[in-house]
Amino acid sequence: MQTKTIASLDETSVHGLTVIDAAGTRLASDGDVFSRAISNALVGNSLETPVFRVGVYVELWSSVQCLAAVAGHAKVEVNGVKCGTWRALPIPAGGEVRVLADEGEAYLAFSGLSGQLGPVEPGERFYVKPVEDFGADLSARYVPPTLLNEYFNGGARDVLLEKILRHLRLACEMAKRGAKLVRVRVGGKIFDVWVEEVR
């Protein structure tokens, strides 16, 4: 079993992530089930795939083009550019990702992430699945504001998780078919609507 893990980690020296710096961060398959599941769904992983639980901060370098997503309160940068949370982020080959947790832990997923579970140390390497093309559905890989508000207002997490997963599936299907995202205001609330031209 240990030999298999070492062989998998050796593969990351060619394809994967390298930790530049980290504090209070672990690769884990436990913690907040909701945040782990959402961050994994945003990058197309199984909901149980391990993620980085960022208690303070982590900075990583990717040797391959891949997807990342952060669930939770955090400051996120890709190559020094501020990015949002609760959405898939395209990471270029040679890209640097920095996540600084704000108000508790943040959950950072990468496409196909695997490696040794436990505390993360500078210089440590992890495998990620390269993404050749980010695809037309990249713009649909986010949690809409109405569902985020429900989450932050204490909505039932099991029910909300199902709503978000359904939204992601349907929005990605619509984006792949060429639908466009339009934001509309109804009764003081903003809703995201996917509009598809029918010929």
Side-chain angles (χ1 to χ4, degrees):
M1 183 78 156
Q2 189 175 8
T3 305
K4 194 171 187 180
T5 302
I6 290 170
S8 174
L9 290 175
D10 285 345
E11 191 178 327
T12 64
S13 63
V14 178
H15 299 291
L17 292 174
T18 302
V19 179
I20 298 169
D21 200 6
T25 299
R26 349 177 12 93
L27 183 66
S29 56
D30 61 355
D32 180 6
V33 174
F34 179 85
S35 295
R36 187 182 78 232
I38 295 300
S39 61
N40 272 319
L42 289 168
V43 298
N45 290 345
S46 158
L47 302 185
E48 296 80 27
T49 300
V51 297
F52 293 109
R53 285 176 55 187
V54 183
V56 182
Y57 72 89
V58 67
E59 189 171 354
L60 303 117
W61 177 81
S62 179
S63 64
V64 296
Q65 180 170 281
C66 61
L67 284 174
V70 177
H73 292 286
K75 293 180 176 83
V76 181
E77 292 182 2
V78 175
N79 289 335
V81 177
K82 291 181 182 177
C83 300
T85 55
W86 304 97
R87 64 177 48 252
L89 304 170
I91 310 301
E96 290 186 13
V97 178
R98 181 174 172 81
V99 176
L100 177 64
D102 188 17
E103 296 181 35
E105 290 183 323
Y107 288 72
L108 169 61
F110 282 89
S111 48
L113 178 62
S114 66
Q116 185 68 44
L117 297 179
V120 170
E121 302 291 336
E124 195 168 354
R125 293 179 173 163
F126 297 89
Y127 177 77
V128 292
K129 180 180 175 186
V131 175
E132 289 182 28
D133 178 15
F134 293 124
D137 68 344
L138 180 63
S139 63
R141 292 179 173 272
Y142 72 98
V143 180
T146 52
L147 294 177
L148 273 182
N149 288 339
E150 195 174 326
Y151 167 71
F152 290 121
N153 290 325
R157 288 189 172 195
D158 290 346
V159 173
L160 189 54
L161 178 59
E162 289 305 316
K163 282 184 187 178
I164 292 171
L165 294 177
R166 181 174 184 273
H167 166 82
L168 285 173
R169 182 177 49 80
L170 294 174
C172 286
E173 287 174 10
M174 292 294 292
K176 286 177 185 175
R177 292 199 312 252
K180 302 296 180 204
L181 175 63
V182 178
R183 291 219 159 106
V184 295
R185 184 180 299 272
V186 178
K189 292 184 180 179
I190 296 176
F191 293 90
D192 292 351
V193 178
W194 288 89
V195 179
E196 185 175 12
E197 185 178 335
V198 179
R199 295 178 191 197

